């Protein structure tokens, strides 16, 4: 189950969600870039999602989703796949910093991994500016029925 770890706790905190809403509301879905953990490289970093996963499953699954009103693109791989190379030029920091370009339907987020703690400290605008807007938009989507 994606985000069933400390990164999920951080993501829930970012989004202002309790576990019940996050996991069992039936209103939030997850579509990983890969449907497996690809392992680690020689330096201990996560390997990228195998391209075959997106080629085989991603488009077909996205086409079956209905009434998707809000997307959080978590990490660089998801951002590049959804937004394309022009929108993600400059990497995750530039893409996340340009969040207003995609809001209110899409919010690019860094991965909530502990490995990004330094990134969060270097980019306080993320928690000060982006997260309040993302939380507000998510709350609106979850209450609009």
């Amino acid at each position: 189950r994606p985000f069933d770890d400390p990164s999920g706790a951080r993501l829930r905190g970012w989004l202002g969600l309790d576990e019940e809403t996050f996991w069992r509301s039936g209103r939030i879905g997850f579509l990983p870039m890969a449907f497996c953990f690809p392992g680690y490289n020689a330096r201990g970093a996560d390997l990228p999602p195998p391209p075959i996963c997106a080629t085989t499953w991603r488009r077909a699954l996205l086409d079956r989703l209905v009434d998707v009103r809000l997307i959080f693109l978590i990490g660089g791989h998801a951002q590049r796949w959804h937004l394309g190379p022009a929108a993600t030029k400059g990497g995750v920091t530039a893409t996340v910093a340009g969040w207003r370009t995609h809001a209110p339907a899409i919010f690019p987020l860094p991965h909530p991994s502990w490995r990004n703690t330094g990134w969060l400290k270097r980019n306080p605008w993320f928690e000060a500016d982006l997260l309040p807007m993302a939380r507000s938009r998510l709350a609106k989507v979850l209450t609009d029925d």
Side-chain angles (χ1 to χ4, degrees):
R1 183 160 89 155
F3 298 111
D4 192 15
D5 58 10
S7 67
R10 178 178 264 177
L11 181 60
R12 286 190 300 277
W14 285 354
L15 301 177
L17 294 174
D18 59 38
E19 286 195 41
E20 180 68 27
T21 304
F22 191 75
W23 291 118
R24 292 177 280 284
S25 70
R27 311 212 39 230
I28 294 175
F30 302 93
L31 186 56
M33 290 303 299
F35 294 88
C36 62
F37 177 66
Y40 300 104
N41 67 17
R43 295 181 313 193
D46 294 359
L47 289 169
I52 191 70
C53 293
T55 304
T56 304
W57 297 106
R58 193 156 185 81
R59 176 54 48 206
L61 290 171
L62 282 170
D63 289 346
R64 287 179 172 81
L65 296 175
V66 296
D67 196 27
V68 175
R69 293 180 277 163
L70 180 58
I71 297 173
F72 292 103
L73 300 177
I74 301 170
H77 298 295
Q79 293 163 13
R80 280 188 297 281
W81 196 87
H82 282 270
L83 302 175
T88 57
K89 188 176 180 179
V92 170
T93 300
T95 303
V96 175
W99 64 273
R100 288 175 181 86
T101 304
H102 311 291
I106 296 173
F107 285 86
L109 305 177
H111 196 281
S113 167
W114 63 268
R115 290 184 174 129
N116 286 330
T117 300
W119 186 93
L120 295 169
K121 289 179 182 177
R122 289 187 307 275
N123 297 283
W125 53 264
F126 172 72
E127 290 184 340
D129 300 331
L130 186 154
L131 288 183
M133 293 302 294
R135 283 185 200 115
S136 173
R137 176 68 179 134
L138 178 57
K140 180 168 177 30
V141 166
L142 290 174
T143 58
D144 283 354
D145 266 345

